[in-house]
Amino acid sequence: MTGLAPARADRIIRALPWWWASAPFLLFTPAIAHAMGLPDVRREVGWLFGLMALFTAALAPTAGLVAAQVWDRREARRRFLIMAAASSVPILLFLLFGVLFPECPDGYHC
């Protein structure tokens, strides 16, 4: 039974970067659907794709870092730390411009 744990750890550590790499595709899916002539996708569920991209960008490096820490994979730990640092930039920009400094309505001076 001990031989399965390292193989399972390696599969998990190998799959999580692919999940993380899907975040930009999730983010741009509504825009691509709109360009292909499906404006309802962007209008009705565009927010859901944005939320899933944000969730994926935050959770995949965190889960990978925990898995690498539990199974003592040093090289994977470094990789997931770099992924977390790269994910933090768009997440912080989203929080800064999307939540903290939303666009002012017409006639107001922010």
Side-chain angles (χ1 to χ4, degrees):
M1 191 77 160
T2 59
L4 293 177
R8 184 177 300 138
D10 291 336
R11 279 195 305 269
I12 290 170
I13 288 172
R14 203 173 320 131
L16 284 171
W18 286 103
W19 181 34
W20 178 74
S22 72
F25 296 113
L26 285 170
L27 185 63
F28 293 123
T29 297
I32 293 168
H34 183 75
M36 291 178 63
L38 300 167
D40 294 338
V41 172
R42 186 175 188 179
R43 195 176 317 118
E44 294 175 8
V45 292
W47 64 272
L48 184 62
F49 282 98
L51 186 64
M52 287 305 297
L54 188 65
F55 180 72
T56 297
L59 191 64
T62 306
L65 193 58
V66 168
Q69 185 70 28
V70 167
W71 285 301
D72 195 32
R73 302 289 198 274
R74 291 182 193 266
E75 10 356 278
R77 247 187 304 210
R78 277 181 256 150
R79 181 181 342 139
F80 288 116
L81 283 173
I82 292 170
M83 286 169 50
S87 290
S88 68
V89 173
I91 291 171
L92 289 175
L93 288 175
F94 170 77
L95 291 174
L96 183 69
F97 292 113
V99 177
L100 297 177
F101 297 126
E103 186 176 337
C104 294
D106 292 334
Y108 290 95
H109 302 285
C110 294

